[in-house]
Amino acid sequence: MNIVEVKSLYKSYTKSKPTKYAVHNVSLGIEHGEILGLVGESGCGKSTLGALMLKLIEPTKGEIWFDGKNITNLTFRNMRKIRSHMQIVFQGSSNAFNPYHTVRQIISEPMDNYTKFSSAEKERKILACLESVGLGAEHIERYSGELSGGQRQRIGIARALILDPKFVVCDEAVSSVDYGLKKQILKILYDLKQEKGFTYLFISHDMAAINAVCDRVAVMYLGNLVEILPSTDATALHPYTKALMAATLEPDPKIKKKKLVLFNESGDFSYPHGGCPFQSRCLYASEKCRTEDQLLREISDGHFVACHLI
Ligand SMILES: Nc1ncnc2c1ncn2[C@@H]1O[C@H](COP(=O)(O)OP(=O)(O)O)[C@@H](O)[C@H]1O
Ligand SMILES: [Mg+2]
């Protein structure tokens, strides 16, 4: 069963013509208890899609469903109850903590906003939550300004997860941290999913991080979904996914940059109005790719690709 589903979703931030879409005709479901990865280059619409799913921003067109309910037109007030089941962990979210707040204050905040717990219950929950992110009771009185970057990141996760949300968007949650910490945080997120059955949309441009934790992977290009891989070891079929993987798995940053634009560098990369969004960069583009829209088709069990050539 899908915990979140978006149907023919569009988002445009501007009124200029022709319309440029940050999210263009996206239909996607996230199953209960899975980690769905969302990858694509910077600016392709990943954060916009995550924010739409949480109803932090309004769609231009299309529907958003949560836990079997159409929430597209719910007012801010009516979203309140549902919002307590949704959370976001984003890059740098922990830098926004008030340095004069203690860990206890920071982690209690969602509980104070949404529910009435006794103080004993609150204390018990905070300790359990700290433990689940690998921190001890000795941290509870510390001020956030006294914590290391890694500790703050964990507190950010603890705060997001304290109300046992049904759905969590992790937007580049491990992108700015060093390798060792990244591994630790990915393990925490993964273990919590196994233990509590959380469902995540895991947004990242880091293929290695995606491969470490995700069940399925959705690939985005210029606001469109171009491929959904049924597992992290499924073979990529879309020319864009192939190039993206080749580039992101390349350790040398100089070659990496080259690889991403290895296809058709002379192309016009502006937003195409009609046909495949990837047409101008694709080495294999034909007339059909320039004129006919591509929709995701199921190629094999759970593997969807939007490409004429496959
Ligand atoms: N608040 C905003 N106002 C105007 N344009 C925006 C806003 N947020 C994002 N965009 C534009 O929407 C597109 C998608 O952005 P975003 O969703 O942030 O992509 P990603 O997370 O993949 O980097 C980009 O072209 C970006 O410039
Ligand atoms: Mg983003």
Side-chain angles (χ1 to χ4, degrees):
M1 202 192 90
N2 285 332
I3 183 96
V4 181
E5 190 172 353
V6 297
K7 300 179 184 179
S8 309
L9 200 65
Y10 292 78
K11 175 68 183 179
S12 167
Y13 287 105
T14 55
K15 296 242 172 329
S16 63
K17 298 271 170 185
T19 317
K20 193 171 172 265
Y21 289 100
V23 165
H24 184 264
N25 198 9
V26 168
S27 298
L28 180 67
I30 305 180
E31 280 168 34
H32 201 93
E34 79 167 332
I35 304 187
L36 177 71
L38 182 60
V39 283
E41 287 160 278
S42 175
C44 72
K46 303 181 297 297
S47 295
T48 301
L49 183 56
L52 286 167
M53 285 179 171
L54 299 176
K55 282 234 345 147
L56 298 172
I57 54 174
E58 295 297 318
T60 307
K61 220 166 46 175
E63 290 178 6
I64 302 153
W65 290 67
F66 183 77
D67 219 1
K69 192 173 174 190
N70 185 345
I71 60 166
T72 319
N73 296 315
L74 284 190
T75 58
F76 191 80
R77 228 183 110 204
N78 289 333
M79 269 306 290
R80 200 183 137 79
K81 206 157 168 221
I82 292 171
R83 202 155 269 143
S84 69
H85 300 299
M86 307 170 147
Q87 283 294 338
I88 183 161
V89 181
F90 53 91
Q91 182 175 15
S93 51
S94 54
N95 294 334
F97 295 157
N98 183 331
Y100 304 109
H101 279 181
T102 62
V103 167
R104 178 188 282 108
Q105 280 172 304
I106 292 166
I107 300 186
S108 326
E109 204 192 319
M111 290 195 278
D112 300 336
N113 283 345
Y114 289 110
T115 40
K116 299 241 175 302
F117 290 106
S118 70
S119 35
E121 215 174 341
K122 235 162 82 175
E123 199 70 6
R124 192 187 55 74
K125 267 182 154 321
I126 293 172
L127 285 172
C129 203
L130 274 178
E131 198 193 327
S132 70
V133 297
L135 295 173
E138 69 276 14
H139 292 95
I140 205 162
E141 303 287 355
R142 301 236 175 109
Y143 289 95
S144 98
E146 298 174 317
L147 303 172
S148 71
Q151 287 169 335
R152 276 213 301 277
Q153 193 99 358
R154 291 182 208 207
I155 301 292
I157 294 173
R159 179 169 72 169
L161 304 184
I162 188 118
L163 292 178
D164 287 346
K166 292 182 183 168
F167 177 54
V168 184
V169 172
C170 295
D171 191 350
E172 307 283 5
V174 295
S175 298
S176 58
V177 302
D178 65 52
Y179 179 79
L181 180 59
K182 183 188 291 183
K183 255 180 88 172
Q184 282 175 23
I185 290 174
L186 289 174
K187 183 167 181 342
I188 290 168
L189 291 172
Y190 187 80
D191 289 350
L192 284 169
K193 175 211 124 151
Q194 298 293 75
E195 194 184 308
K196 304 205 173 187
F198 291 149
T199 307
Y200 301 97
L201 176 68
F202 188 84
I203 299 174
S204 184
H205 63 266
D206 177 346
M207 217 57 220
I210 293 268
N211 285 337
V213 292
C214 295
D215 298 302
R216 291 191 298 148
V217 185
V219 185
M220 219 172 170
Y221 185 77
L222 278 186
N224 296 264
L225 285 187
V226 296
E227 183 157 12
I228 299 174
L229 298 163
S231 72
T232 49
D233 38 47
T235 308
L237 295 174
H238 196 285
Y240 176 64
T241 316
K242 285 187 189 170
L244 185 70
M245 288 188 172
T248 46
L249 294 174
E250 171 60 54
D252 184 334
K254 273 190 205 142
I255 303 178
K256 192 178 191 139
K257 216 171 163 196
K258 261 199 198 137
K259 275 202 177 163
L260 244 188
V261 286
L262 91 181
F263 28 147
N264 215 357
E265 277 196 78
S266 58
D268 167 15
F269 301 160
S270 63
Y271 194 88
H273 293 274
C276 175
F278 190 53
Q279 57 182 276
S280 52
R281 281 172 88 184
C282 185
L283 285 178
Y284 316 101
S286 65
E287 194 45 37
K288 207 174 173 188
C289 305
R290 281 180 251 282
T291 49
E292 281 181 33
D293 285 356
Q294 322 286 308
L295 290 174
L296 285 174
R297 280 178 301 126
E298 193 163 11
I299 300 292
S300 57
D301 210 14
H303 193 162
F304 294 81
V305 187
C307 179
H308 276 318
L309 304 159
I310 288 148

